[in-house]
Amino acid sequence: MEEISALLADPAAWAALATLVVMEVVLGIDNLIFISILTNKLPEHQRSRTRRIGIGLAVILRLGLLGTVAWVAQLTQPLFTLFNHEFSWRDLILIAGGLFLIWKATDEIHHNVTEEHAEEVAASGVAGMTMASAIGQILVLDLVFSLDSIITAVGMTNDIPIMVAAVVVAVGLMLLAADPLARFIGDNPTIVMLALGFLLMIGGTLLAEGFGVHVPKGYIYAAMAFSALVEGLNMLARRRRRAR
C-alpha cells in the first residue's frame, strides 16, 4: 500500500501512466481493426459477444505477461544467428505474427473482390466464419500484439502497477470503441478495404521488425491517419453527390 501511495503522489508516475495509456491505445488500434473485420463475418447475435471475448483475451494475455516480466525480458535474448542477424524468440513471434496478418489480410481482400464471395455473403449473411474460428484467430494476434506491447512498456518503466493500470484503462477504451468501430466498418464497404490495407502494412512492419529492421511507429500511424483522412473526404464527397 505504501508503494502504491508513493506512486500516486509522484508526478513522474502519472506522466508514465499517461504515456503508457496512449501507447497501449495506439497499439490496440491494430488489434481492434482486426477484431472488427473478423467479427463482422459472424451472425449478428454473435458479433458483440465475440468482440468482448477477443478484447478480454487481450487483457488476460497482457496482464499475464506483466506477471512474468523477467521471462518476457529473456525473449529478447539471441537464440541463433542467420544472415548476420541474431534472432530471438521475440523476433520469431513477430515474424510468425506478421506472416499470419499478411496472409489473413490478403485472403480477406481476395474474398472481398471476387464475385463468388459477394454472392455467398449475400445469400448467407456470413462468410463461413464460426465463433470458435474467429476467437482462435483473434487469440493468435492478441498474443503477438500483447508481447510487443509489454516489451515496449517494460522499456519505458519498471513499475508493474503503472503498467497494469495502463493496460486496464486502454482495454476499457477498446471495449467502448469496439462495437461503434465494427458498425462503422460494416456500414462502409470501402472502409473494409482500407482497414485490410492497414493490416497488410502492420503485418509487413511486424515482419520487418522480426528481421531486425526497425520501422518507426510514427511513420506507420501517420500514413494510416492520412489514408483515413483521404477516405473520409471521399465518403463526404459521395454523400454530397447522392444528396443532389
Side-chain angles (χ1 to χ4, degrees):
M1 286 297 294
E2 292 182 2
E3 182 181 352
I4 295 177
S5 299
L7 285 175
L8 292 175
D10 185 2
W14 285 101
L17 175 61
T19 303
L20 283 175
V21 167
V22 172
M23 184 205 73
E24 290 286 344
V25 169
V26 170
L27 292 176
I29 291 172
D30 310 336
N31 207 1
L32 205 53
I33 290 173
F34 180 79
I35 290 174
S36 297
I37 292 175
L38 208 59
T39 54
N40 278 350
K41 299 173 67 175
L42 293 170
E44 182 69 36
H45 67 280
Q46 293 182 345
R47 294 176 184 176
S48 183
R49 181 186 175 195
T50 306
R51 287 180 207 118
R52 290 195 296 270
I53 292 174
I55 295 172
L57 290 172
V59 70
I60 291 171
L61 280 172
R62 293 184 189 191
L63 293 178
L65 288 172
L66 280 175
T68 57
V69 168
W71 175 76
V72 170
Q74 291 178 358
L75 294 178
T76 60
Q77 300 300 314
L79 284 175
F80 60 89
T81 301
L82 187 64
F83 303 122
N84 296 321
H85 174 63
E86 294 180 336
F87 287 88
S88 64
W89 276 113
R90 175 181 179 269
D91 295 330
L92 297 180
I93 292 172
L94 289 179
I95 290 171
L99 289 173
F100 173 78
L101 205 52
I102 291 171
W103 166 75
K104 188 62 184 176
T106 303
D107 184 58
E108 291 295 325
I109 290 173
H110 169 73
H111 285 318
N112 275 275
V113 298
T114 55
E115 293 181 359
E116 294 82 0
H117 175 75
E119 293 172 359
E120 175 189 345
V121 174
S124 64
V126 294
M129 178 70 64
T130 65
M131 188 173 177
S133 174
I135 291 174
Q137 293 181 53
I138 290 170
L139 183 59
V140 171
L141 261 296
D142 277 348
L143 176 61
V144 176
F145 287 131
S146 296
L147 180 65
D148 192 31
S149 168
I150 296 305
I151 288 176
T152 304
V154 168
M156 296 175 65
T157 180
N158 292 321
D159 293 315
I160 301 297
I162 291 177
M163 288 188 277
V164 170
V167 167
V168 172
V169 171
V171 169
L173 293 174
M174 288 173 64
L175 282 170
L176 290 175
D179 286 346
L181 177 63
R183 283 195 297 269
F184 180 73
I185 289 176
D187 293 340
N188 298 274
T190 56
I191 292 294
V192 174
M193 296 303 292
L194 181 64
L196 290 172
F198 288 166
L199 293 181
L200 271 177
M201 183 168 60
I202 295 163
T205 302
L206 292 176
L207 201 59
E209 292 275 356
F211 281 100
V213 180
H214 177 64
V215 181
K217 294 291 194 299
Y219 294 154
I220 300 299
Y221 293 111
M224 291 172 65
F226 179 75
S227 300
L229 175 62
V230 172
E231 180 58 28
L233 293 173
N234 284 331
M235 291 172 62
L236 181 61
R238 288 194 296 268
R239 188 175 302 169
R240 287 186 174 180
R241 283 195 297 269
R242 287 196 298 266
R244 290 177 183 175

